[in-house]
Amino acid sequence: QVQLVESGGGLVQAGGSLRLSCAASGGTANTYRMGWFRQAPGKEREFVSSITWAGGSTIYADSVKGRFAISRDNGKNTVYLQMNSLKPEDTAVYYCAAKERIRSQYDYWGQGTQVTVSS
């Protein structure tokens, strides 16, 4: 079973940047897609971005295109989310997740890391 641990969250002013990390252990596979999700208070969890381990194929939510960049270091079993030009609307708990590419749902989840953007 895959274990995911997020880090890098914190408090930042609007316009600033943060880089989140997701360390994976316990048996990641090249067939996995890794995703970042976020959940703001009182709102549903929403998709942010994802990347495949094998080919680095990326997907971004419209709300973060041009501002966020997802990447991975296969040797370190780590996925990153570089967040630039942060807005107060980006405030949320950010979760790392993993799934087989052919599956519709993400099966593995981290504990989340808080990102707070102040104005």
Side-chain angles (χ1 to χ4, degrees), residues 37-73:
F37 294 76
R38 66 187 183 186
Q39 187 168 24
K43 297 183 178 179
E44 294 184 349
R45 183 171 59 198
E46 66 174 345
F47 171 80
V48 175
S49 185
S50 69
I51 188 169
T52 58
W53 277 113
S57 178
T58 59
I59 302 173
Y60 294 95
D62 289 341
S63 59
V64 305
K65 285 181 179 178
R67 300 189 299 122
F68 291 10
I70 191 170
S71 62
R72 91 287 197 205
D73 186 330

Side-chain angles (χ1 to χ4, degrees), residues 12-94:
V12 65
Q13 293 188 46
S17 299
L18 283 174
R19 188 179 74 159
L20 306 183
S21 298
C22 173
S25 62
T28 57
N30 288 138
T31 53
Y32 279 11
R33 177 174 285 275
M34 307 295 296
W36 285 99
F37 294 76
R38 66 187 183 186
Q39 187 168 24
K43 297 183 178 179
E44 294 184 349
R45 183 171 59 198
E46 66 174 345
F47 171 80
V48 175
S49 185
S50 69
I51 188 169
T52 58
W53 277 113
S57 178
T58 59
I59 302 173
Y60 294 95
D62 289 341
S63 59
V64 305
K65 285 181 179 178
R67 300 189 299 122
F68 291 10
I70 191 170
S71 62
R72 91 287 197 205
D73 186 330
N74 292 36
K76 294 182 178 179
N77 290 327
T78 300
V79 177
Y80 304 96
L81 184 68
Q82 179 66 48
M83 305 185 294
N84 301 319
S85 301
L86 283 163
K87 305 174 181 179
E89 307 93 270
D90 297 317
T91 295
V93 176
Y94 283 71

